[in-house]
Amino acid sequence: MIAELLLAATPLVATPPAPPADFLAYVEEVRQAGATETARSELVMVASIMAGTSVFEFRKDPQTGSYYQSYRSTSCPAPGLSAAERQKLFAEITARVEPVLKRLRAFADTDRSGFVSTAEGWEVRRTFEFGAELAALVPQEGTDRATLCKLLHVTPAEFDRRLEAYNALVRWFAGTEVRFLPAVPASFPACDEPASGPR
């Protein structure tokens, strides 16, 4: 009886099969990149905008009055470029983006683990977009916190948290050459304080 029980239990403790080679290669690729695929994608997007190879705009719809994000590349190859010219263009883009990406990766790694998680990558993108959106809004809408919170779809607490995070990002890149990292006011009036700018 005991032997039968042991035989029945044998499959339960069997050694699991080794992971497929392509899976191991993928894991190594992610490890070498120092970030998840999603996190790297978010960081590359932000670094490209900061380096000037892409453009981020926060535009106002004249009909609805609402704002929307717009992205476009400034480095699309012109038709008819030779392979050598395309390679040169790609090398120039990489040379501009990589130093920014490297520093941005260090900023994103908030737990100093040496690896950027998906959550950390997304937080950097959201922080950057918040600052860029805020910088675009202030000249148009003024500095009234309640108005800005409404247009940015954030609570006052989230507004303060993201403002602090964005200002930390700007300080992190102090002395580093970037083409787009707009400054924003260090603080904004509370709801019961007088606001400046158009209403």
Side-chain angles (χ1 to χ4, degrees), residues 27 29-37 39 105 108-118 120:
V27 171
E29 183 180 326
V30 170
R31 189 187 70 78
Q32 291 287 341
T36 66
E37 273 189 292
R105 186 186 292 112
D109 184 19
T110 54
D111 61 2
R112 300 298 176 255
S113 65
F115 188 84
V116 181
S117 68
T118 296
E120 288 174 325

Side-chain angles (χ1 to χ4, degrees), residues 46 49 56 58 69 71 122-138 145 147-170 180-186 188:
V46 173
I49 296 167
F56 172 84
F58 200 48
Q69 297 175 337
Y71 299 87
W122 165 247
E123 187 62 24
V124 166
R125 175 178 172 179
R126 187 66 192 95
T127 294
F128 173 79
E129 288 180 340
F130 173 86
E133 291 169 2
L134 185 59
L137 282 177
V138 169
R145 186 190 302 262
T147 299
L148 295 171
C149 285
K150 182 177 180 181
L151 292 170
L152 291 168
H153 306 289
V154 296
T155 64
E158 186 178 4
F159 180 95
D160 291 341
R161 181 176 68 82
R162 294 210 174 277
L163 176 61
E164 182 180 352
Y166 182 74
N167 284 329
L169 177 64
V170 172
F180 183 77
L181 190 60
V184 297
F188 291 80

Side-chain angles (χ1 to χ4, degrees), residues 17-88:
D22 54 354
F23 172 77
L24 293 175
Y26 167 76
V27 171
E28 179 60 19
E29 183 180 326
V30 170
R31 189 187 70 78
Q32 291 287 341
T36 66
E37 273 189 292
T38 302
R40 178 169 172 76
S41 176
E42 306 287 19
L43 296 181
V44 167
M45 175 180 288
V46 173
S48 297
I49 296 167
M50 290 176 64
T53 62
S54 296
V55 173
F56 172 84
E57 294 176 315
F58 200 48
R59 298 179 174 179
K60 187 174 186 176
D61 186 323
Q63 294 185 341
T64 66
S66 61
Y67 287 81
Y68 64 95
Q69 297 175 337
S70 172
Y71 299 87
R72 61 185 172 83
S73 174
T74 63
S75 54
C76 291
L81 281 183
S82 67
E85 289 171 326
R86 285 175 178 270
Q87 188 174 9
K88 181 182 177 183

